[in-house]
Amino acid sequence: MERRGKAYRQAAEKVEKDKAYTLADAIKLATETNPSKFDASVEVHVRLGVDPRQADQNIRSTVVLPHGTGKTVRVAVFAADADADKAKKAGADIAGDEAIVKLLDKGALDFDVLIATPAYMPKLGKYARLLGPKGLMPNPKSGTVSTDVAKATEEAKAGKVEYRVDKQAAIHLSVGKVSFGAEKLLENANTFFASLQAQKPSSIKGVYIKSVAVATTMGPGIKVDYQAK
C-alpha cells in the first residue's frame, strides 16, 4: 500500500477490507473510490468453479449491455459489396472485401470488432496469426460470423461485448464508465450476470460463481457477496 499513490490510498480507506458488499453497494462504492482524473471503466471480476480445459466448461459468450460500455467501438465488416453496403448503413466504420484485405495485408488493425459472413471466413485463414492473438478473429460464438451483418454491426455498436473465462477460471469485464452513475452500471452488471448464469454448464455440481469483485481501472478492489441482495 505504501507504494501506491496518495489518491489510491485515500480511496482504499473508504473500502472495508474484510467486508463483502452487495453488488449494488459495491458498484456505488467503486464510483466513489475512483482515484483517476479520467472517466475510468468500472470492471467486474468473477472467479468461476469451472475447469476451462473441459470443452463444456470453457465459458464464452456475448451480452448486449443496456447502456453500452462507454467506449466508441470501431466495427469492420468483411463481406460482399451488397452486404457491405447494408453494414455501412448500420454504422460500420469500414466494410467491403478489398478494403478489409488492404488493411490486413498492411497489418493495420484499425478496428475493435471484425464481422464476417460465413462465405468470407475461409479468406481470413491466412490472417489467423494476425487476428487470433488480438482476439479479433470472427467467431460464431461471439456473433461476429453472421449472415445478417447489419444486425451484427448494430449490436456491436450498441454495446455488445464478448466475455470468456481465462486459464485461471476467471472472467474480467468492463460494465461501463464511472460517469454512467451507479444505477446504469448496476443494470449493466445485472444483465451480464444473468447472461453468465445462463451459461452454467450442466456438469457443474458445486459452486458456479465462487467470488466476485468490483473495481475501477486504477481503483481498489471491492469484494462482493454475490448472493446478497
Side-chain angles (χ1 to χ4, degrees), residues 196-210:
L196 182 61
Q197 287 284 11
Q199 300 304 314
K200 181 179 179 180
S202 57
S203 57
I204 296 293
K205 303 303 180 186
V207 178
Y208 177 46
I209 296 179
K210 285 193 167 183

Side-chain angles (χ1 to χ4, degrees), residues 60 73-76 78 100 104 107-116 121 124 127-139 142 144-145 162 164:
R60 179 178 184 177
V73 181
R74 298 165 299 169
V75 177
F78 191 41
I100 301 299
L104 297 180
L109 302 178
D110 299 331
F111 49 83
D112 303 299
V113 176
L114 177 59
I115 295 166
M121 280 303 293
L124 290 177
Y127 304 108
R129 290 186 178 180
L130 172 67
L131 297 168
K134 300 289 186 180
L136 292 171
M137 180 62 83
N139 186 292
S142 64
T144 47
V145 176
E162 180 181 13
R164 61 191 304 178

Side-chain angles (χ1 to χ4, degrees), residues 3-215:
R3 294 182 181 180
R4 300 280 191 173
K6 182 180 178 181
Y8 178 94
R9 294 199 303 272
Q10 289 177 338
E13 287 174 1
K14 298 179 182 178
V15 180
E16 294 184 40
K17 189 175 180 181
D18 298 320
K19 179 178 178 178
Y21 296 79
T22 64
L23 182 60
D25 287 344
I27 286 176
K28 184 174 184 295
L29 187 56
T31 65
E32 296 170 352
T33 55
N34 172 30
S36 309
K37 294 181 179 179
F38 59 88
D39 189 12
S41 294
V42 176
E43 303 163 354
V44 175
H45 305 276
V46 185
R47 190 165 65 89
L48 299 176
V50 300
D51 181 354
R53 295 170 298 178
Q54 304 297 320
D56 69 320
Q57 296 183 30
N58 190 9
I59 307 298
R60 179 178 184 177
S61 189
T62 59
V63 62
V64 177
L65 300 177
H67 302 290
T69 62
K71 298 177 181 178
T72 300
V73 181
R74 298 165 299 169
V75 177
V77 177
F78 191 41
D81 289 344
D83 283 325
D85 289 341
K86 294 177 184 176
K88 286 178 181 177
K89 289 178 181 177
D93 297 272
I94 184 169
D97 187 335
E98 294 182 8
I100 301 299
V101 168
K102 284 181 181 178
L103 276 182
L104 297 180
D105 282 342
K106 290 188 294 185
L109 302 178
D110 299 331
F111 49 83
D112 303 299
V113 176
L114 177 59
I115 295 166
T117 57
Y120 272 65
M121 280 303 293
K123 296 185 179 183
L124 290 177
K126 63 184 289 189
Y127 304 108
R129 290 186 178 180
L130 172 67
L131 297 168
K134 300 289 186 180
L136 292 171
M137 180 62 83
N139 186 292
K141 287 187 176 181
S142 64
T144 47
V145 176
S146 175
T147 54
D148 190 344
V149 292
K151 181 181 178 183
T153 297
E154 289 172 352
E155 289 181 340
K157 285 286 187 178
K160 184 176 184 177
V161 293
E162 180 181 13
Y163 60 87
R164 61 191 304 178
V165 69
D166 62 19
K167 292 180 180 178
Q168 285 71 48
I171 289 176
H172 312 280
L173 185 72
S174 169
V175 293
K177 299 283 189 178
V178 169
S179 61
F180 281 23
E183 186 176 335
K184 289 182 178 180
L185 288 166
L186 181 59
E187 285 183 40
N188 276 356
N190 280 332
T191 300
F192 159 63
F193 277 110
S195 173
L196 182 61
Q197 287 284 11
Q199 300 304 314
K200 181 179 179 180
S202 57
S203 57
I204 296 293
K205 303 303 180 186
V207 178
Y208 177 46
I209 296 179
K210 285 193 167 183
S211 66
V212 177
V214 171

